[in-house]
Amino acid sequence: MYKTLWNHIKKNTKKHTTASVFLPVLVLGWTVIGLLAGALICPFLQAAVLVKATVVLCTGGYAGLIFGFFGGIFYIYRGTVKKSHTAVNSVPSVSFR
């Protein structure tokens, strides 16, 4: 899912703005998914309205933070470190004699 979204955003934006578009879209997407999951859980709770609202907001907030923000950061980090690591190792060594 992350790779598909990254490739779609990369295709439609400039190179230096891909990460700055990818991360907010990912956070918003996971937040909406979390809010919907919380809304599906609420009818089964025998609790007050305030508790139900807390469940909805917490599931949305934590899904957006953990899966959206941290997942997006790790995805971007993994892609950039791998590329920069291979670029550093592919540089020919210079010997001084």
Side-chain angles (χ1 to χ4, degrees), residues 15-95:
K15 184 179 179 181
H16 64 279
T17 60
T18 303
S20 62
V21 173
F22 173 74
L23 201 56
V25 168
L26 201 59
V27 169
L28 286 173
W30 276 107
T31 301
V32 169
I33 291 169
L35 289 172
L36 292 174
L40 290 174
I41 293 170
C42 279
F44 301 109
L45 295 176
Q46 300 296 327
V49 175
L50 187 60
V51 173
K52 290 181 179 184
T54 303
V55 168
V56 171
L57 293 177
C58 284
T59 55
Y62 282 123
L65 180 68
I66 295 169
F67 299 115
F69 184 71
F70 291 133
I73 292 292
F74 287 136
Y75 182 81
I76 293 169
Y77 178 75
R78 188 185 68 183
T80 57
V81 169
K82 189 183 293 185
K83 290 178 184 177
S84 66
H85 180 67
T86 57
V88 169
N89 289 337
S90 66
V91 175
S93 61
V94 179
S95 62

